[in-house]
């Protein structure tokens, strides 16, 4: 049975254009589901979202958004998200929306088969 628990995004202030560093990408290769907990310690403002992206290879330039998975920077919406379809490597980014006041966020993910 595969199981991995990671702090995908340590508690930090997130700004527009944020992309998680290559060395912080997580390999969920043995997992078939992700259980995600996006916690806001300070809500932001704007139309942006913190989204999860995935990739089969983990190479720079190969990541794209996991459909319908994200947390609005204003803290609205669900805190807990289950992802059932994804490729091997996962990272967090802020999409192209606006971020006028930066939120403070942490993201924990449990991967299971």
């Amino acid at each position: 049975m595969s199981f991995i628990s990671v702090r995908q995004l340590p508690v930090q202030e997130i700004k527009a254009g944020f992309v998680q560093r290559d060395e912080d990408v997580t390999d969920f290769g043995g997992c078939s589901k992700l259980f995600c907990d996006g916690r806001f310690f300070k809500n932001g403002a704007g139309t942006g979202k913190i989204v999860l992206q995935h990739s089969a290879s983990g190479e720079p330039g190969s990541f794209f958004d996991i459909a319908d998975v994200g947390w609005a920077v204003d803290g609205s919406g669900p805190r807990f998200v289950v992802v059932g379809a994804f490729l091997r490597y996962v990272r967090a980014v802020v999409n192209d929306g606006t971020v006028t006041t930066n939120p403070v966020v942490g993201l924990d993910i449990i991967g299971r088969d």
Side-chain angles (χ1 to χ4, degrees), residues 73-113:
V73 296
D74 66 5
S76 65
R79 173 178 164 174
F80 177 69
V81 176
V82 178
V83 180
F86 63 96
L87 297 170
R88 183 174 184 151
Y89 299 93
V90 174
R91 72 178 183 185
V93 303
V94 172
N95 72 356
D96 295 331
T98 62
V99 181
T100 56
T101 304
N102 301 330
V104 176
V105 182
L107 175 60
D108 296 311
I109 300 177
I110 296 172
R112 297 179 72 179
D113 62 356

Side-chain angles (χ1 to χ4, degrees), residues 7-15 18-21 24 39-44 50 73 92-94 101-107:
R7 172 139 298 165
Q8 186 68 41
L9 193 59
V11 176
Q12 62 186 286
E13 183 178 78
I14 300 295
K15 300 179 187 291
F18 170 82
V19 177
Q20 198 163 34
R21 302 177 315 168
D24 293 332
R39 296 185 318 166
F40 282 75
F41 296 87
K42 181 184 123 195
N43 292 347
I50 299 162
V73 296
V93 303
V94 172
T101 304
N102 301 330
V104 176
V105 182
L107 175 60

Side-chain angles (χ1 to χ4, degrees), residues 16-43:
F18 170 82
V19 177
Q20 198 163 34
R21 302 177 315 168
D22 292 339
E23 55 266 26
D24 293 332
V25 168
T26 303
D27 180 353
F28 286 103
C31 303
S32 61
K33 282 191 179 176
L34 302 179
F35 300 89
C36 309
D37 178 15
R39 296 185 318 166
F40 282 75
F41 296 87
K42 181 184 123 195
N43 292 347

